[in-house]
């Protein structure tokens, strides 16, 4: 059903090519269009969780924060508890602002797992993600990963649990060409960067492991202290797909993760329908 | 080139800050001892005790600073810093704790007493002289005090380490935490640990060998090549692998060996240890041990029995050349010769910079004596191996030296990525780490670990890294070391000349040579400079620069920053650079003195920082302006003449960047301070900014009126420009374009006089709007736009964009489509060059306006939708309305009233809505109501649109209201449409709005037909 042009060497990002270089033709009848998928949608009613460095409260580009939690040491290892909203590093706030721009009316929650300098532990990732999956958020944005293989199995189990619970984990591919997790799992939606200056362009990658590309170069984002800036990296491509997923789920709340991923594929800017759209 | 000739004569700045470890050891129960022993015996015992303690200290490279009664105070790292000073101190302390028991045993049986000590160890920074010869009795203060108090808190026979010492010694010590101790004379509780044992510091335990191996393809190729040569030609070969600590020598060899093991090359691997930590030949013993063991399983055992037996009694036992070096060597040649005769043999000796001369001699002789056998001897070492043994590896035909440099940028990023346990995928994070590490994997590893720490990033350099670099710096000669420390004060790239005036000539009379030497040792690298110019240098990595800098005393830092600031000032360096050095000079002087002249230093720093901050603000480099002005304010006192102006500018910067709360706070302080000091112009500026920040339109106009009087009085051109802009904006909001234009032409003069770029650009933008919407005939308005563009547009993309937009529209409404299109293209380019997000609204809006004027409404729909989406994405409500209005207009002109209604469905009239837009929206909705056949609503809306249009002097707005009324009446089948259409024609003609006039005429014609 899918034909691709020259796609050798594509995986982590699409910075050296254009969307037309990975044009894909599908035989689908054309019922699933962007208009059908998210036309008129605002993300209302969809709960998005940013598992990251926290989110700055009251930032004009983020708006209302529905909840702020953090990973903390407890008696039996790490636990997740409510914390005052805040972000000392800025990464989570930047991601939240992108989600907000795409899906203006979704609910945004934050779980802080990163430290003040952006570092963190695999254990914190496991604790934060496990909590988010348990809370059954509709969309979980993970603009980070761990390269330590010892967390691989536990992360995979969590990702599978989320997959079958209709929690969509949207996970950013690493910027460097190394293996890390959980974006490598098939149960999550993995995102890398393309170089288009267009937040509306989401591309399907015919050569996974990275499944989708979104805008990740000089993306306008919220900066700490109420400001704005432009950031680059797969971190900022990912919330584009999280936001788009929130839009789709607000219009089609009963979609499973599999179905959602299929909708993202069919509506990707480089996937053309032979009948309805033409070449 | 002589450096420092300009320095006034004075004592040499011969002091440095260095990290030392102090061991404080006291004899337990010495008073009882004195009572129990005969005085003569006591003296003998004590002398023996001192001698033994000194022996242990010196064996590990420490210095006995003094004996205080029965207490011994030893310092490690005083004469020269070594990376493992804390480990050495712990090793000495363990031996010192065990020694007294043996001393007691040496006493005559009748007088035997139990001797024991208590020991405290602490690590910290001290100030010493730079000259090692005079470094005695200088260690005092807190570091010694904590060590002594820890000693007092220790149990008999126990060694207590402070947490600092435990961390400094790292993985090499095994210690059991005893909690935080409250020590006499020490303010904070001191976390301490009981020393249990030392571990062998194997690099595999110290370093992260679990991450994937990165790069090094050329080096691996060389290793493979040499190996093939040894195998094929059957000749011995010595390969020396040189590289700085942490650059990855052990890792490279480890990787190479693990690949080799599959091919089963017999290999022995050994490692030299620092100073006295093992027998002199123990590295070779480690190499040979596995080979000998393998021998036991082969058939040669019998022939080699005697030689192996001899080695087992010495070399293989503890690395000692026992019974003698010659016998050991003969046995080695015998055994290794036999092995190499069987199969090619590989010996790897790591950390050869610590090798005992005897070991290097043995290795050298082995390579010579076995040169006809396939023996590959790999020696890995830091470059200082060649300093101690200059001839190593030379004079031999079959020798290779491989210099291992840093990793490339991409390789570094890969390594850093796999080192961090959890990493956000922000593109800049890894880049920052890589910049700091300068390609050294160890630095990368340690810096990556700091990502997980809280607190300001980059504020702290990991301890191991600091120790390693401090040791490297300490091994430099005095002149090179001082030059390096002084260079650490400089910014970016520097040449020898930049050190003029900083380095006393007695220490470094040739900076150029010192810099070359430092580049050879890879502290510095040469930057690309122009041919023939003196070479410029930068630090290889910022960590080395920080450690070199930290070795300067604060007093010296203050002097150097001040001297460098003076030099920069004479070379006309930017204010910011000079100011930041002055500020640092002041900061250190304020900490450690002297206070003489310090006030002048502060004022100079503030003046430079403020000047730089204002310049950055004028150039709209806001983050920089904020940083500089923040510093200027922080350094200021409220009694300073410049305090209020400084605050005012900081407030402006905060306001411009959108930090409203901070801006209001700062500006309110500026108003109060300026009022107190009767600085009226400054107070007026602050008041105006404060009013702008409060976003209360009426209050702002009042303030602008009031402050304008002050500005006039003081002939403050900038203030006049700003007040004029505010008042003009207010006039435009009320639709008074003629008055606004007059105000703006005056503001333009003030902006030029004040050389205020930002105000100039804002004024020109506002003039463009007034010319577009105001009553001036289009041709005159267009000509004025062109004049202004010619005068101010060159090189100013913002001006080209803000004036180009109305100019294109003014051409278009006159029906000059070609000129309009040409202007549009230039304007769009200018917008792109600016990279403002708003360009995504303005570019398609302009395109649509031109298409509409060209009577191609069907093509205007798509760019308008783009503009609308961009405006919504930017949450730019002020832009959504005009775009929606234009969209509704073109839909109406295409007979799509439903579409038009849809376009303005969300548009509401508020207090902020301008009369022009108010009239247009009302007129549009009137036409939509007429389409519905709602006559009453239509009449109401037409009347409202008319009223709104009468409150502005915009001819086009008035014409449009009339035209809308004519259309609506016609739709309702009413008479008297002609009056309105004719009225519109008159107004459009007065504006020279050919497109509008044609539309009015068309309506008149339709009526006639």
């Amino acid at each position: 059903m899918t034909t691709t042009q020259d796609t050798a060497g594509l995986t982590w990002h699409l910075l050296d090519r254009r969307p037309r270089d990975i044009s894909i033709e599908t035989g689908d009848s054309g019922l699933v269009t962007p208009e059908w998928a998210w036309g008129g949608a605002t993300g209302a009613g969809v709960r998005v969780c940013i598992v990251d460095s926290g989110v700055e409260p009251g930032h004009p580009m983020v708006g209302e924060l529905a909840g702020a939690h953090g990973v903390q040491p407890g008696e039996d290892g790490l636990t997740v508890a409510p914390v005052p909203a805040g972000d000392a590093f800025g990464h989570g706030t930047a991601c939240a602002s992108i989600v907000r721009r795409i899906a203006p009316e979704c609910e945004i929650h934050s779980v802080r797992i990163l430290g003040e300098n952006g570092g963190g532990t695999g254990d914190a990732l496991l604790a934060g993600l496990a909590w988010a999956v348990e809370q059954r958020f509709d969309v979980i944005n993970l603009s980070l990963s761990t390269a330590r293989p010892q967390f691989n199995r536990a992360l995979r189990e969590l990702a599978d649990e989320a997959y079958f619970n209709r929690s969509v984990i949207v996970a950013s591919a690493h910027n460097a060409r190394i293996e890390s997790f959980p974006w490598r799992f098939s149960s999550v939606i993995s995102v890398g960067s393309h170089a288009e200056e267009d937040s509306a362009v989401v591309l399907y990658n015919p050569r996974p492991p990275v499944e989708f590309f979104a805008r990740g170069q000089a993306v306008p984002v919220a900066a700490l202290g109420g400001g704005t800036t432009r950031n680059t990296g797969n971190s900022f491509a990912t919330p584009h797909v999280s936001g788009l997923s929130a839009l789709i789920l607000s219009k089609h709340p009963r979609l499973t993760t599999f179905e959602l991923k299929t909708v993202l594929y069919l509506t990707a800017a480089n996937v053309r329908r032979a009948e309805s759209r033409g070449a | 080139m002589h450096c420092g000739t300009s320095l006034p004569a004075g004592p040499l700045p011969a002091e440095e800050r260095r990290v030392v470890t102090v061991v404080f050891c006291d004899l337990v129960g010495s008073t009882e001892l004195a009572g129990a022993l005969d005085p003569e015996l006591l003296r003998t015992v004590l002398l023996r005790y001192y001698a033994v303690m000194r022996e242990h200290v010196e064996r590990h490279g420490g210095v006995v600073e003094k004996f205080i009664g029965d207490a011994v105070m030893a310092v490690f790292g005083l004469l020269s810093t070594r990376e493992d000073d804390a480990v050495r101190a712990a090793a000495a302390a363990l031996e010192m704790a065990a020694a007294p028991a043996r001393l007691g045993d040496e006493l005559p049986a009748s007088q035997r007493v139990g001797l024991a000590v208590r020991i405290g160890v602490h690590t910290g920074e001290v100030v010493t002289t730079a000259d090692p010869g005079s470094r005695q009795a200088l260690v005092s203060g807190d570091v010694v005090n904590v060590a002594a108090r820890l000693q007092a808190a220790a149990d008999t026979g126990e060694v207590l380490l402070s947490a600092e010492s435990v961390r400094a010694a790292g993985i090499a010590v095994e210690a059991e935490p005893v909690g935080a101790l409250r020590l006499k004379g020490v303010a904070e509780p001191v976390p301490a640990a009981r020393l249990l044992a030392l571990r062998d510091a194997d690099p595999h335990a110290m370093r992260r060998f679990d991450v994937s191996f990165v790069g090094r393809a050329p080096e691996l190729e060389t290793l493979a090549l040499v190996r093939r040569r040894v195998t094929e030609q059957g000749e011995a070969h010595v390969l020396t692998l040189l590289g700085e600590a942490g650059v990855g020598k052990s890792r490279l060899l480890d990787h190479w060996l693990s690949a080799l093991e599959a091919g089963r090359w017999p290999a022995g691997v050994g490692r030299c240890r620092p100073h006295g930590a093992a027998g002199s030949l123990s590295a070779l013993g480690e190499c040979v041990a596995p080979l000998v063991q393998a021998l036991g399983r082969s058939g040669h055992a019998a022939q080699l029995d005697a030689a192996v037996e001899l080695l087992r009694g010495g070399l293989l036992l503890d690395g000692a050349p026992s019974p003698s070096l010659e016998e050991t060597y003969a046995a080695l040649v015998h055994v290794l010769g036999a092995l190499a005769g069987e199969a090619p043999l590989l010996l790897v000796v790591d950390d050869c910079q610590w090798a005992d001369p005897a070991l290097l001699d043995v290795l050298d002789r082995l390579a010579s004596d076995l040169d006809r056998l396939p023996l590959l001897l790999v020696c890995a070492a830091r470059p200082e191996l060649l300093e101690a043994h200059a001839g190593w590896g030379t004079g031999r035909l079959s020798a290779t030296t491989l210099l291992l440099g840093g990793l490339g940028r991409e390789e570094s990023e890969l390594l850093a990525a796999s080192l961090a346990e959890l990493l956000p995928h922000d593109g800049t994070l890894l880049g920052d780490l890589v910049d700091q590490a300068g390609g050294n994997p160890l630095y990368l590893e340690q810096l990556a670990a700091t990502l997980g720490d809280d607190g300001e990033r980059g504020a702290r350099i990991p301890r191991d890294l600091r120790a390693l670099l401090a040791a490297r710096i300490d091994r430099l000669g005095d002149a090179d070391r001082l030059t390096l420390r002084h260079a650490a004060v400089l910014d970016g790239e520097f040449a020898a000349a930049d050190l003029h005036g900083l380095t006393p000539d007695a220490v470094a009379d040739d900076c150029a040579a010192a810099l070359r030497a430092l580049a050879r040792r890879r502290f510095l690298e040469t930057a690309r400079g122009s041919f023939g110019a003196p070479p410029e240098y930068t630090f290889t990595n910022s960590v080395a620069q920080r450690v070199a800098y930290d070795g300067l005393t604060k007093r010296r830092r203050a002097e150097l920053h001040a001297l460098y600031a003076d030099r920069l000032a004479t070379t006309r360096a930017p204010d910011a650079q000079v100011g930041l050095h002055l500020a640092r000079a002041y900061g250190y002087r304020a900490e450690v003195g002297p206070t003489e002249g310090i006030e002048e230093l502060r004022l100079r720093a503030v003046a430079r920082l403020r000047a730089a901050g204002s310049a950055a603000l004028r150039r709209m480099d806001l983050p920089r302006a904020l940083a500089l002005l923040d510093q200027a304010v922080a350094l200021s006192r409220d009694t300073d003449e410049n305090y209020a102006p400084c605050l005012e500018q900081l407030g402006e910067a905060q306001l411009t960047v959108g930090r409203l709360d901070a801006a209001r706070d700062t500006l309110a302080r500026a108003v109060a301070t300026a009022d107190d000091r009767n600085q009226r112009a400054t107070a007026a500026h602050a008041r105006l900014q404060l009013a702008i920040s409060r976003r209360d339109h009426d209050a702002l106009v009042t303030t602008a009126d009031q402050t304008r009087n002050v500005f006039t009085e003081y002939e403050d051109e900038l203030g006049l420009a700003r007040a004029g802009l505010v008042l003009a904006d207010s006039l435009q909001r009320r639709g008074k374009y003629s008055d606004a234009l007059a105000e703006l032409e005056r503001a333009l003069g003030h902006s030029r006089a004040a050389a205020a770029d930002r105000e100039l650009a804002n004024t020109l933008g506002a003039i463009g709007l007034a010319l577009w919407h105001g009553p001036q005939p289009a041709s005159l308005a267009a000509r004025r736009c062109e004049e202004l563009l010619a005068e101010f547009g060159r090189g100013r993309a913002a001006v080209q964009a803000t004036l180009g937009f109305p100019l294109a529209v003014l051409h278009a409404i006159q029906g000059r489509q070609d000129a309009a299109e040409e202007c549009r293209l230039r304007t769009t380019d200018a917008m792109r060059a600016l990279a403002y997000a708003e360009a995504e609204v303005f570019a398609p809006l302009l395109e649509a306006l031109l298409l509409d004027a060209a009577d191609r409404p069907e093509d205007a729909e798509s760019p308008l939708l783009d503009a609308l989406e961009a405006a919504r994405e930017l949450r730019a409500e002020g832009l959504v309305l005009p775009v929606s209005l234009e969209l509704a207009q073109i839909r109406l002109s295409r007979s799509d009233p439903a579409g038009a209604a849809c376009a303005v469905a969300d548009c509401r009239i508020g207090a902020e809505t301008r009369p022009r837009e108010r009239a247009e929206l009302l007129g549009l909705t009137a036409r939509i109501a007429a389409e519905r056949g709602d006559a009453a609503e239509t009449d109401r809306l037409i009347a409202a649109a008319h009223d709104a249009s009468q409150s502005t002097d915009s001819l086009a707005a008035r014409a449009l209201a009339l035209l809308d009324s004519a259309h609506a009446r016609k739709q309702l089948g009413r008479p008297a449409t002609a009056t309105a259409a004719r009225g519109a024609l008159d107004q459009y003609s007065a504006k020279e709005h050919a497109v509008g006039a044609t539309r009015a005429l068309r309506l008149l014609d339709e009526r006639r037909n």
Side-chain angles (χ1 to χ4, degrees), chain A residues 57-200:
Chain A
H59 195 293
M61 285 178 78
V62 177
E64 193 189 341
L65 197 57
H69 286 76
V71 171
Q72 296 176 333
E75 281 179 15
D76 311 314
L78 297 173
T79 61
V80 174
V83 294
D87 180 2
F89 181 57
H91 188 258
T93 305
C95 291
S97 69
I98 298 170
V99 171
R100 177 62 81 215
R101 195 164 67 224
I102 309 271
E105 291 183 23
C106 72
E107 249 182 44
I108 294 184
H109 297 253
S110 147
V111 180
R112 195 178 62 223
I113 62 166
L114 293 175
E116 291 173 13
N117 289 317
T121 63
D123 286 331
L125 169 61
L126 281 175
L129 186 60
W131 181 85
V133 172
E134 201 175 288
Q135 304 301 309
R136 296 186 167 235
F137 285 107
D138 301 297
V139 179
I140 298 171
N141 186 90
L142 275 184
S143 287
L144 41 83
S145 70
T146 174
R148 296 276 199 283
Q150 66 262 36
F151 301 109
N152 188 337
R153 186 174 162 177
L155 278 172
R156 187 189 298 273
E157 282 169 5
L158 272 175
D160 281 345
E161 193 186 334
Y163 182 88
F164 292 116
N165 278 347
R166 296 188 183 184
S167 276
V168 181
I169 296 177
V170 184
S172 151
H174 210 295
N175 291 314
R177 284 179 176 263
I178 65 163
E179 291 215 7
S180 62
F181 313 97
W183 67 272
R184 295 278 300 199
F185 304 149
S186 53
S187 49
V188 307
I189 293 176
S190 54
V191 187
S193 301
H194 62 55
E196 309 302 308
E197 252 188 75
D198 190 343
S199 285

Side-chain angles (χ1 to χ4, degrees), chain B residues 575-664:
Chain B
D575 281 327
Q577 201 187 0
V578 180
L580 289 171
H581 281 286
L582 288 171
R584 296 180 77 171
Y586 168 76
Y588 288 123
R589 285 275 293 276
E591 246 182 273
V592 297
T595 50
E596 188 193 331
I598 191 172
E599 188 60 11
E600 189 218 328
L601 195 57
R602 184 179 70 78
L603 290 173
R604 278 172 63 207
V606 170
R608 290 280 189 166
L609 289 172
R610 185 183 155 228
S614 334
L617 184 60
R618 276 199 303 276
R619 287 193 316 274
M620 289 299 281
D621 186 351
L622 298 174
R624 190 168 163 74
L626 272 177
L628 291 165
L629 291 167
D630 251 336
Q631 274 216 48
V633 167
L635 279 181
S636 298
R637 307 237 164 89
D638 52 13
T639 48
D640 291 352
E641 189 67 25
N642 272 330
Y643 186 57
C646 228
L647 276 176
E648 191 274 326
Q649 282 181 321
L650 176 63
E652 255 183 73
Q654 289 167 330
L655 176 61
T656 318
V657 84
R659 292 190 192 159
L660 279 188
D661 291 338
R664 286 174 192 150

Side-chain angles (χ1 to χ4, degrees), chain B residues 381-395:
Chain B
R382 301 181 190 170
E384 57 251 37
L385 170 72
L386 297 187
E387 288 160 28
H389 308 277
W392 175 259
T394 58

